[in-house]
Amino acid sequence: MSSLSPKLRDKKLSQISIPGTHNSGSYPIKIGSPMTNLDYYLSGLADQNGEISPSLMNFVRVVGPGWTKCQDYSIAEQLRMGHRYLDLRVYCDEDEYFLHHFFVGSNLTNELLNIAEFVGQQEEEVVILHIKSVANCDESSVRRLLQFIEKTFGEKLVRSPREVDFIPTYGQLVENGTTVIVAMSHVQETEKFDWIWDDNRIVDPWANTASEDEIRTFVIDKMGEARQAGTLFVSQVILTATTDDYMAGLTGSGPTDLREMAQTLNKEFGRWIGDLKQLRPNIFNTDFAKKSLIRKIIDMNFKRGSKRKMKGKKRERRKKDD
């Protein structure tokens, strides 16, 4: 993203096409990964008496990881590939912080240190950390997490805008040396931690469908709606599997896991992404995106022909150097 032209760097962050990952910390999930003990997950497995049969639990432990893992690469690798928006779901286990998606994923403390290393080396890269939920954590645990984030990123944290309709430009953030945005909901101490962006500043409608056609319609419709000033907008180009999908995968009549389902969607998305240029693209959230799709999302920032001109200028400079 740091290769953006000077003209584009004068645009607000809400006017730039940015690649991102969905459930960014789910990449380590595999068969044998510990399950979270969250009621909103487990309640869906319980019978009328509120009990979960051992056989169903065993089924979930074996089949579940393939449908809850949303990424193949570590967060450090996601950043190197070009992603700049990270979807983080925090889960506390005693004194440790993890990322999760039904199953426990990566260690959040380590991830934050890796992100800090990346932004320290890439000073013109803006990274958005969207902490979408904090589960199984008491107030003191949340406070310690915020203190760790503050200590880890320090002056690179972007202060929450005071004006409700304000979004900084890419260039302003880079020039100020503040390149890490942290958005989070339900935080009581926002005055003390004035760098926390309210979760309401990131609008991310979810289609909740396993249909590729419905995703396309949903994304286009939502992008075309009026947007509230002072917000970032996430188009979630992701599929949500159903029980029928799980069973189809087991019988061989459908995708065997979320990766296979997502890769089919990503190919289709790569074909119709060009239709979105006139709809004010901003952040795109995906599962298992390959570099070619990430490149297409970034290229939406350039007008048709501008990339060709840039390549031509680079070739001219090389000739002069020779």
Side-chain angles (χ1 to χ4, degrees), residues 47-65:
D47 58 23
Q48 295 178 353
N49 299 318
E51 297 179 354
I52 305 174
S53 69
S55 59
L56 179 57
M57 285 299 289
N58 289 335
F59 173 82
V60 171
R61 287 192 177 98
V62 173
V63 176

Side-chain angles (χ1 to χ4, degrees), residues 82-95:
H83 291 293
R84 295 295 177 265
Y85 168 90
L86 302 174
D87 165 5
L88 309 176
R89 324 286 177 99
V90 180
Y91 177 75
C92 294
D93 186 2
E94 296 182 352
D95 292 331

Side-chain angles (χ1 to χ4, degrees), residues 27 74-76 79 109-119:
Y27 65 89
S74 71
I75 287 180
L79 292 171
T109 303
N110 293 338
E111 298 292 11
L112 293 172
L113 292 173
N114 290 334
I115 296 167
E117 181 179 3
F118 176 84
V119 296

Side-chain angles (χ1 to χ4, degrees), residues 18-29 41 66-75 78 83-89 99-102 106 128 130 132-133 204-209 215 234-241 258-259 261-262 265-266 283-289 293-294 297:
I18 301 170
T21 54
H22 168 242
N23 275 305
S24 309
S26 63
Y27 65 89
I29 292 175
Y41 284 144
W67 293 97
T68 55
K69 175 178 177 174
C70 301
Q71 306 298 329
D72 275 330
Y73 299 101
S74 71
I75 287 180
Q78 291 171 31
H83 291 293
R84 295 295 177 265
Y85 168 90
L86 302 174
D87 165 5
L88 309 176
R89 324 286 177 99
L99 298 172
H100 75 97
H101 188 210
F102 197 98
S106 60
I128 303 165
H130 190 184
K132 297 191 67 171
S133 63
D204 57 345
W206 173 42
N208 191 16
T209 180
I215 281 289
V234 181
S235 297
Q236 298 204 72
V237 191
I238 58 174
L239 294 173
T240 304
L258 185 60
R259 181 193 292 105
M261 180 182 281
L265 171 64
N266 290 343
I283 299 167
F284 289 96
N285 210 4
T286 56
D287 292 329
F288 300 105
L293 181 57
I294 298 170
I297 294 173

